[in-house]
Amino acid sequence: VTAAQNGKSHIQCIDTSTRRPLWQKSVPRVSHVCADMANVYLRCQQVLVLDQDRGEPLWTIEATGCSPVTVCDDTICFVDSAGEGSLVGARRYNGDVVWKVPGLHSCNAFVKAGERGYLKTNDNVVLAFAFGS
């Protein structure tokens, strides 16, 4: 991802075995990029998900803020700083929001470790979350 004009970013996906571009496109300004074997997750002033093979948009979630997108099992996590703020968990493949923890503002990544997750808030408090089976 590189900066472009007019508040945009330019993203390019490259086949590392051949070093050839697979696709490229202009997207809203990106502050964080994350990928798995199927998708590319972009953190702009929303969360934008692209198909990794073709670069086509799959889904978008409006989410103000600066926190990175992190992949945790079948869920992606990020902070939406709008209003009271919330830590959001959404399904990786369709964007369905499966849980929200209200009252949180952070520009840090949510980190999952086993059955727990951690987030450092903007006021320097580290919160731990337990996930049950």
Side-chain angles (χ1 to χ4, degrees):
V1 176
T2 57
Q5 295 178 342
N6 301 324
K8 300 270 189 178
S9 291
H10 180 78
I11 184 167
Q12 185 175 40
C13 182
I14 299 171
D15 181 333
T16 57
S17 64
T18 64
R19 297 182 183 166
R20 294 180 185 245
L22 297 174
W23 52 264
Q24 55 188 337
K25 67 184 333 139
S26 178
V27 294
R29 181 172 291 158
V30 174
S31 61
H32 182 260
V33 63
C34 177
D36 60 22
M37 295 303 290
N39 301 327
V40 178
Y41 307 93
L42 303 175
R43 181 57 198 247
C44 311
Q45 278 302 309
Q46 68 268 5
V47 174
L48 172 61
V49 180
L50 306 175
D51 174 83
Q52 192 179 94
D53 293 331
R54 301 177 321 278
E56 296 299 319
L58 297 175
W59 52 266
T60 302
I61 296 176
E62 292 302 318
T64 302
C66 50
S67 75
V69 173
T70 55
V71 177
C72 303
D73 303 321
D74 288 333
T75 305
I76 62 162
C77 302
F78 55 91
V79 174
D80 180 0
S81 295
E84 69 176 336
S86 59
L87 175 63
V88 178
R91 292 283 175 235
R92 286 177 16 187
Y93 301 107
N94 62 16
D96 289 345
V97 173
V98 291
W99 51 263
K100 282 188 178 185
V101 179
L104 298 174
H105 290 274
S106 179
C107 287
N108 293 294
F110 174 79
V111 179
K112 186 150 189 281
E115 293 298 313
R116 290 186 168 66
Y118 302 91
L119 179 73
K120 182 179 174 187
T121 65
N122 286 351
D123 55 359
N124 294 319
V125 175
V126 176
L127 300 173
F129 303 90
F131 295 95
S133 325

